[in-house]
Structure formats: C-alpha cells, structure tokens
Amino acid sequence: MSHGQAGEDWYFPPIFGLGLVFNSYSIRTSRHSIAFNYPSAIGQTLDTNSIESLAELLLSKYLEKNKLPKKIDRIVAYSMGAIVAFEVIKQLELRGTKVEELIIWDKPAQIKYEPELPIQLHPSIMHYVEQLAFDQAQREKMLRYLTIHQEMIEHYHQKGRIESNIQLYYCKKGFEESAMNDWCQLTNGKTTLIELPAEVSHYDIPTYWKSS
C-alpha cells in the first residue's frame, strides 16, 4: 500500500477479506503500510477453520518474505478484521513486537458471544455479492468463502489480553454498546470509544472514510 520508512502500519479487512477495502482510507504515505488479504478471498485454499488459525497463517505468510519489525505503530481493522488483528497482536507480542495502537471500525468484542446458528449471511452482504459477482459461478464462489468466514466468526470466543491501546469507532444503530465496551477487558492499554455520525451504518464505513 505504501513504502515509507517512518514506521509500520498494518490493515485487516472485514468478512469480504480483501485489503483493497482500505483504498479509501487515509493511508499515511510516510509509513510502510501493508493490507492483508484472506486466502479464500483471493482464490486460495483455506486450510484453517478458526480465527486463531487464520491469524497464524497470515503471520507465517508475512514472515516468509519479511522480518518482523520491533514496533508496529498502528493496526487498523474493520469488522471481522478486528478479531483477526487481535489474534495477530497476541502472536506478535509473544515474538517481541510491540503494537502501539489497534484501531477498530465497528466490531464488538466476543467475550460473551452467542453464535447465531445456522449460519446466515447478512442481507447487506448478499446485496454486495449480487453487485460484485459477474456470473453465477463467481456468485457461488463468493458465497462459499463468505459463509466460511461467517462460521469462523460465529465459533470464535475471545480471550487473553494485549498491551496495545485501542481506539474503537462504532455505529450508533449497530451492535450492542456493552459488547463494544468489552474491549476494555481485552487490553492492558487504554480503550477509547468514538461514536460515528448517526447516518453512518456498518456497511457505509468505507464511504465514510472517503468523505471524511
């Protein structure tokens, strides 16, 4: 995304799994910035079935070509990306890398999460699939990997603590605020909650980045 030298920023996408969602984000060009893609979103076989194993896979792929920095200034995560990033940060800290700040866009913590079964994709996700798929085969492919990602979310139980400060942007008419506040229990750092404008919904967030 950006090849600057003044620090390190990482980006983790939502359920669609493509880092290009951050194209409208305010990227700091002075930083070395990396946006991750989830393997199944780019046509690769996903040999993982959990958020924890996905985080481990992404980090191992990064390490195949890169050395871990001693410090990452910020990790930005949208929706599902927040829980993937949380697990990545836990592994980074075990390896001696400090993450200064985790910036979350509208994802509740999953400490006391009750899975919604059977798995059903949100109507807004279905709407985007219909818009993005150029034929029936593409549509079916997208639905398969999105369902896998949704299953990973529904079966994930968040535990442990990180050291990073957390800045959480949340939609007023979205998830329960109590679950947003639960992020305070998952870090030894400072947690700051910021309410987004009332007109911004969960799926409007990339448009909000572009206009703000």
Side-chain angles (χ1 to χ4, degrees):
M1 292 177 68
S2 174
H3 300 285
Q5 302 297 319
E8 188 98 2
D9 295 341
W10 288 10
Y11 297 80
F12 290 87
I15 192 169
F16 277 90
L18 296 172
L20 59 79
V21 71
F22 293 105
N23 283 354
S24 61
Y25 200 81
S26 179
I27 304 297
R28 301 187 290 188
T29 56
S30 63
R31 308 280 179 165
H32 181 227
S33 301
I34 298 171
F36 289 83
N37 295 314
Y38 304 151
S40 55
I42 54 175
Q44 298 177 3
T45 302
L46 184 62
D47 296 323
T48 60
N49 59 3
S50 69
I51 296 295
E52 293 91 339
S53 56
L54 175 58
E56 185 176 352
L57 176 63
L58 293 174
L59 191 53
S60 67
K61 291 293 184 183
Y62 173 88
L63 289 171
E64 287 176 4
K65 297 182 179 180
N66 305 277
K67 277 188 172 183
L68 276 180
K70 292 182 178 180
K71 184 179 77 169
I72 297 172
D73 297 279
R74 70 177 185 181
I75 289 182
V76 180
Y78 175 17
S79 193
M80 173 186 173
I83 52 178
V84 178
F86 178 78
E87 293 298 329
V88 168
I89 291 172
K90 286 163 62 177
Q91 294 187 34
L92 287 169
E93 290 179 346
L94 288 174
R95 289 170 166 83
T97 295
K98 180 179 181 180
V99 178
E100 290 283 355
E101 184 176 39
L102 171 60
I103 299 176
I104 298 170
W105 289 87
D106 205 42
K107 179 69 182 85
Q110 292 191 200
I111 298 174
K112 298 169 278 197
Y113 189 73
E114 292 294 331
E116 294 185 10
L117 302 172
I119 300 298
Q120 291 185 330
L121 295 174
H122 192 279
S124 292
I125 294 176
M126 296 297 296
H127 173 70
Y128 281 113
V129 169
E130 299 300 336
Q131 285 189 320
L132 296 171
F134 50 80
D135 59 23
Q136 183 62 22
Q138 177 74 1
R139 180 182 183 276
E140 291 176 359
K141 178 182 176 181
M142 291 179 71
L143 290 176
R144 277 197 300 273
Y145 88 74
L146 287 166
T147 300
I148 291 171
H149 287 174
Q150 189 65 47
E151 288 176 345
M152 293 166 70
I153 295 168
E154 297 300 333
H155 290 98
Y156 175 66
H157 178 70
Q158 205 163 6
K159 55 189 176 182
R161 296 176 77 92
I162 59 176
E163 300 299 324
S164 312
N165 293 323
I166 293 176
Q167 187 165 292
L168 170 60
Y169 294 87
Y170 69 97
C171 299
K172 185 175 182 179
K173 296 180 180 179
F175 302 103
E176 291 184 11
E177 190 169 344
S178 61
M180 295 295 186
N181 283 313
D182 282 345
W183 279 100
C184 299
Q185 302 178 44
L186 296 165
T187 180
N188 292 323
K190 179 183 177 182
T191 302
T192 305
L193 272 65
I194 302 169
E195 185 180 307
L196 291 167
E199 67 274 13
V200 179
S201 74
H202 182 79
Y203 296 96
D204 292 332
I205 286 173
T207 303
Y208 172 75
W209 292 338
K210 191 173 182 177
S211 62
S212 61

